[in-house]
Amino acid sequence: MDMNRRGLLIAFEGIDGTGKSSQLQMLATTLEQLGRSVVITREPTDGPYGRKIRSLFTSRAGITPAEELALFMADRREHVREVIEPALRAGRIVLTDRYYLSTAAYQGAAGQDPEAIMAANETFAPVPDLVLLLTLTSSQSVHRIRSLRGEALNDFEQEDTLTRVAAIFAGLDRSYIARVDAAGSLLEVRDRVEARVRLLLAEKLAGGDCPAWE
Ligand code: TYD
């Protein structure tokens, strides 16, 4: 396959409260201003499995860790087939709010083996060109969720859970992972995100006649 025409897959990852969704929106705007065709998407998706998962958010009682993992995997299979692969084939830039590193980290924190989850996903899900892994301590993230969003924490967001999730994210080792410090203002973090994406575009477009960024 011609890699220059395949599109690009960029995932935002990190624990809750790191500002992934805001950063994704800002990056999409920047890329669109550069004339790029961007697809914004997220996991859990808005499809049937994603809706089922969202209904579990307030309480995970009544479902086993294995059943929870199976739901996230089914949601991703559908997401890959219906959204991600068609967009990549059309040469678009896909920005996804969460991808399979979240499964490794969150379902890993619930007792599954993170590396086995990574390996299972890598059999069917396109490997991302770049994962922007936004990093924040779990106490900073809980503070943001509580005070900025004014929300109570759901079962995925309890501080001890997030501490375990953050530790698994910290241990994941893949060449496409770029760790981005999420402490600081939205604009400071945006600059860090853009610096990584600029590098990616320069690398992927090397030799092409299309200016990567300016
Ligand atoms: P989140 O991105 O916070 O959704 P929203 O902000 O739209 O409500 O994701 C919801 C939760 O799902 C989050 O706490 C992490 C969890 N999650 C997993 O446990 N495994 C996964 O594979 C994914 C994609 C998400």
Side-chain angles (χ1 to χ4, degrees):
M1 194 190 298
D2 179 356
M3 295 304 283
N4 285 329
R5 301 192 56 182
R6 182 193 146 253
L8 289 175
L9 177 57
I10 301 177
F12 282 77
E13 292 280 14
I15 58 174
D16 303 82
T18 48
K20 288 184 296 355
S21 310
S22 309
Q23 292 301 331
L24 185 151
Q25 293 294 337
M26 288 191 288
L27 180 61
T29 303
T30 304
L31 290 171
E32 277 163 358
Q33 283 166 354
L34 291 168
R36 308 234 157 230
S37 172
V38 177
V39 175
I40 291 176
T41 186
R42 68 170 181 171
E43 294 185 4
T45 68
D46 298 314
Y49 295 109
R51 286 200 299 276
K52 176 109 199 259
I53 291 167
R54 280 172 200 284
S55 75
L56 296 173
F57 276 7
T58 43
S59 170
R60 295 158 95 171
I63 182 169
T64 66
E67 286 166 342
E68 186 179 289
L69 173 62
L71 278 177
F72 281 107
M73 295 294 280
D75 190 39
R76 178 159 311 109
R77 281 182 190 280
E78 190 176 76
H79 191 211
V80 164
R81 195 177 59 236
E82 306 284 327
V83 177
I84 295 177
E85 282 180 343
L88 291 178
R89 273 199 301 274
R92 307 181 75 184
I93 300 182
V94 179
L95 302 183
T96 183
D97 191 340
R98 296 194 182 281
Y99 198 38
Y100 59 77
L101 276 73
S102 279
T103 320
Y106 283 83
Q107 279 60 58
Q112 309 282 317
D113 174 7
E115 266 307 320
I117 292 173
M118 293 292 286
N121 277 279
E122 285 163 351
T123 64
F124 72 90
V127 172
D129 296 283
L130 178 65
V131 169
L132 294 154
L133 177 49
L134 301 193
T135 61
L136 205 60
T137 68
S138 49
S139 63
Q140 285 171 310
S141 97
V142 164
H143 175 76
R144 282 195 188 174
I145 295 168
R146 286 215 180 95
S147 64
L148 305 182
R149 288 198 222 152
E151 286 174 12
L153 303 185
N154 66 42
D155 273 8
F156 288 87
E157 296 173 336
Q158 296 303 319
E159 187 165 346
D160 60 334
T161 303
L162 290 183
T163 303
R164 292 201 305 278
V165 173
I168 297 173
F169 272 134
L172 293 175
D173 182 19
R174 292 292 188 280
S175 59
Y176 51 73
I177 299 177
R179 293 184 160 80
V180 176
D181 180 4
S185 71
L186 275 180
L187 295 185
E188 283 166 344
V189 180
R190 182 199 64 185
D191 289 348
R192 294 174 197 144
V193 164
E194 286 190 0
R196 303 309 299 232
V197 175
R198 201 181 268 127
L199 283 177
L200 173 72
L201 292 184
E203 183 191 308
K204 295 287 170 183
L205 302 173
D209 56 1
C210 177
W213 193 271
E214 278 74 29

